[in-house]
Amino acid sequence: MTTVRAGVVPTQRAVVYGVLGIMMTVTICGAFVAAFGINRVFTGLLAGAVAGVAVLSALFTRDAVVLTDHSIYRCTPWTVSSIDWNRVVAGRFALDERSRWSLALDLSGGDEPYGELVLLSIAPVVRPVAGAYDLRKRDQVTEIRAILRRKRIPVTVLPQIAGALQEHWQIASPTH
């Protein structure tokens, strides 16, 4: 079974996660100061920062879209919902409102409030793979396109995006 992780954390939820991480840091720092005195404020900050980063990491890791051969799962730290592949009308790789490249699925009907499910949002590709981030994003694009091809989901790609993907990341346009 093929499993592909994708997804973009909405800004509102990212802010909530950030606030939770800061609250964890402040709470642990406060507990250290209360238990051991003001001389342990830096120890409390260090312990709080470690816990805050752990909370942020757990929240952002859990927030994802998981594409499998059977369904699409929208996961948040508190819920998991599934979307049947038969609800996917098409995919598109286009510019979003922030001039980033967005790979999204258009969905029909259903109970969820999704009309669109954003799988990726990346900065425009202007050079070959230059590091781990670029490599991971190239692999995600390739994996998502492969599963969409197997599911026979039509994908529209803007010509400038298709050209840049082919030139810099050696990803052939969908018509090849």
Side-chain angles (χ1 to χ4, degrees):
M1 170 159 57
T2 302
T3 300
V4 178
R5 288 184 58 86
V8 176
V9 178
T11 304
Q12 273 186 318
R13 221 169 21 236
V15 169
V16 169
Y17 297 167
V19 168
L20 290 173
I22 290 169
M23 285 175 42
M24 177 63 76
T25 302
V26 169
T27 301
I28 290 181
C29 181
F32 263 78
V33 169
F36 303 110
I38 194 71
N39 292 334
R40 293 293 176 201
V41 71
F42 292 110
T43 305
L45 278 173
L46 180 62
V50 168
V53 168
V55 165
L56 286 173
S57 178
L59 291 171
F60 277 101
T61 299
R62 179 77 174 124
D63 199 312
V65 174
V66 180
L67 308 171
T68 68
D69 289 330
H70 303 292
S71 290
I72 302 168
Y73 297 96
R74 176 73 186 110
C75 306
T76 66
W78 301 277
T79 63
V80 174
S81 60
S82 68
I83 301 167
D84 291 329
W85 278 106
N86 61 6
R87 288 196 45 218
V88 179
V89 177
R92 60 188 147 72
F93 213 152
L95 291 172
D96 66 12
E97 64 278 354
R98 296 179 297 155
S99 296
R100 294 175 58 87
W101 292 359
S102 176
L103 178 55
L105 299 177
D106 294 324
L107 305 174
S108 66
D111 300 329
E112 297 90 2
Y114 310 123
E116 153 183 284
L117 183 61
V118 179
L119 302 178
L120 284 178
S121 179
I122 60 175
V125 174
V126 294
R127 65 180 188 276
V129 172
Y133 176 80
D134 287 348
L135 182 61
R136 176 67 188 132
K137 291 305 170 188
R138 183 184 72 184
D139 289 346
Q140 274 186 310
V141 169
T142 303
E143 292 168 351
I144 291 168
R145 289 188 55 208
I147 200 165
L148 293 177
R149 188 174 296 123
R150 276 198 314 280
K151 293 294 182 181
R152 299 184 191 277
I153 306 293
V155 178
T156 304
V157 182
L158 287 178
Q160 65 264 32
I161 293 175
L165 288 174
Q166 187 166 5
E167 178 183 345
H168 300 298
W169 284 2
Q170 287 74 48
I171 296 175
S173 64
T175 57
H176 291 119

